[in-house]
């Protein structure tokens, strides 16, 4: 079935990016396969991460089907759009249904987008990974493509107001070489390898990021270990 909704949504997003005057630094998009199934795995620091993760797949002319919490699909505006773009609702109390849906999509040659931290990281550091991405890749016999986003938290993240003004925010995206899990490799080992790759890409994105806080009051988006005022991982966990 043709994608009638997804391409116009992408066009709208690109127009919006221009209106916000976002500055992109994207590297590694050649690692996203041009055909066949794959699991695209990213860190999660913003409500808008799915938009930017999907953007990284456009040079390969691929559309990403994201796994997202089912409440997004129940919303009167986002729900119809999410279903029309063939994203996958996840009911955390009945996750196997979403898993089977994603597995079928991977076997049919789709790219599935996963945020294995499950929720936004308030500390902007990498949280522990759930094993779902590794399980899917192993069972579907497809690669996992790690990537990292940085700067997206400045637009809209948990605990902070949206900032959609023309602030010339930079957004840095790094995509890494595919991770190929072995069929008999323990899933927790695959998950550990995947997390290490995303962590390395996140640090690379942070090093390359040109933006700096305008002052102490603007350092909330910088992790504590980098001198910012974001919560530490321990503090974020209590939140």
């Amino acid at each position: 079935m043709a994608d009638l909704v997804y391409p116009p949504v992408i066009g709208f997003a690109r127009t919006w990016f221009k209106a916000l005057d976002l500055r992109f630094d994207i590297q590694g998009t050649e690692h996203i396969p041009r055909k066949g199934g794959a699991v695209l795995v990213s860190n999660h620091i913003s409500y808008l991460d799915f938009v930017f993760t999907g953007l990284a797949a456009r040079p390969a002319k691929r559309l990403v089907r994201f796994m997202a919490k089912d409440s997004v699909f129940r919303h009167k505006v986002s729900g119809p759009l999410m279903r029309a773009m063939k994203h996958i609702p996840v009911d955390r109390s009945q996750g196997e249904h979403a898993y089977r849906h994603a597995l079928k999509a991977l076997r049919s040659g789709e790219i599935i987008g996963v945020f294995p931290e499950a929720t936004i990281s308030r500390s902007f550091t990498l949280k522990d990974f759930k094993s779902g991405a590794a399980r899917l890749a192993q069972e579907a016999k497809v690669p996992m493509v790690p990537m990292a986003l940085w700067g997206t938290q400045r637009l809209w993240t948990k605990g902070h107001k949206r900032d959609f003004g023309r602030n010339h925010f930079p957004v840095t995206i790094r995509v890494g070489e595919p991770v190929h899990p072995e069929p008999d490799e323990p899933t927790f080992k695959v998950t550990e390898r995947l997390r290490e790759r995303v962590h390395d890409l996140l640090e690379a994105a942070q090093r390359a990021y040109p933006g700096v806080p305008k002052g102490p009051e603007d350092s909330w988006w910088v992790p504590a270990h980098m001198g910012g005022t974001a919560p530490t991982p321990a503090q974020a966990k209590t939140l």
Side-chain angles (χ1 to χ4, degrees):
M1 185 180 297
D3 281 283
L4 300 178
V5 175
Y6 214 147
V9 170
I10 292 171
F12 172 80
R14 284 178 163 167
T15 300
W16 184 49
F17 294 158
K18 289 181 180 179
L20 295 180
D21 198 25
L22 297 181
R23 292 176 289 148
F24 289 99
D25 174 12
I26 307 176
Q27 294 183 17
T29 57
E30 69 275 8
H31 297 308
I32 296 177
R34 290 187 172 270
K35 60 181 180 179
V39 183
L40 189 57
V41 180
S42 175
N43 65 318
H44 198 11
I45 53 176
S46 165
Y47 289 115
L48 301 174
D49 286 341
F50 70 96
V51 179
F52 298 103
T53 302
L55 178 67
R58 294 311 298 149
K61 299 181 179 179
R62 302 300 302 271
L63 298 175
V64 182
R65 317 297 178 180
F66 287 95
M67 301 183 75
K69 59 184 180 181
D70 59 349
S71 61
V72 179
F73 291 79
R74 294 196 299 268
H75 191 274
K76 64 181 180 180
V77 176
S78 63
L81 286 173
M82 294 291 282
R83 287 188 289 272
M85 290 187 284
K86 304 175 189 175
H87 297 310
I88 301 171
V90 179
D91 181 345
R92 289 175 181 166
S93 65
Q94 300 177 351
E96 282 304 308
H97 176 74
Y99 180 89
R100 290 194 298 271
H101 187 166
L103 187 61
K104 182 179 178 180
L106 286 169
R107 286 172 170 166
S108 68
E110 298 275 12
I111 291 185
I112 298 299
V114 177
F115 298 104
E117 296 169 277
T119 58
I120 290 173
S121 171
R122 287 177 177 260
S123 67
F124 309 129
T125 60
L126 208 58
K127 297 164 59 178
D128 291 336
F129 275 20
K130 305 293 185 183
S131 63
R135 288 175 56 211
L136 282 169
Q138 283 184 298
E139 192 166 349
K141 297 181 174 60
V142 299
M144 301 175 294
V145 181
M147 64 176 294
L149 306 170
W150 194 245
T152 62
Q153 74 271 34
R154 301 178 71 182
L155 291 166
W156 189 17
T157 192
K158 190 174 291 186
H160 295 273
K161 293 181 179 179
R162 292 174 291 185
D163 188 348
F164 294 160
R166 284 178 61 87
N167 293 309
H168 317 287
F169 286 150
V171 172
T172 300
I173 302 174
R174 293 291 182 268
V175 184
E177 295 181 0
V179 175
H180 297 273
E182 298 295 333
D184 57 349
E185 185 178 3
T187 302
F188 79 92
K189 286 289 187 182
V190 179
T191 302
E192 286 178 355
R193 286 204 291 132
L194 179 63
R195 187 183 182 281
E196 287 174 1
R197 295 289 291 278
V198 175
H199 182 265
D200 290 344
L201 290 166
L202 177 58
E203 289 194 332
Q206 291 170 336
R207 288 193 299 269
Y209 193 70
V212 295
K214 299 174 184 177
E217 72 286 348
D218 185 46
S219 65
W220 62 266
W221 56 271
V222 180
H225 75 276
M226 295 175 64
T229 56
T232 64
Q235 290 169 336
K237 191 173 183 179
T238 65
L239 295 172

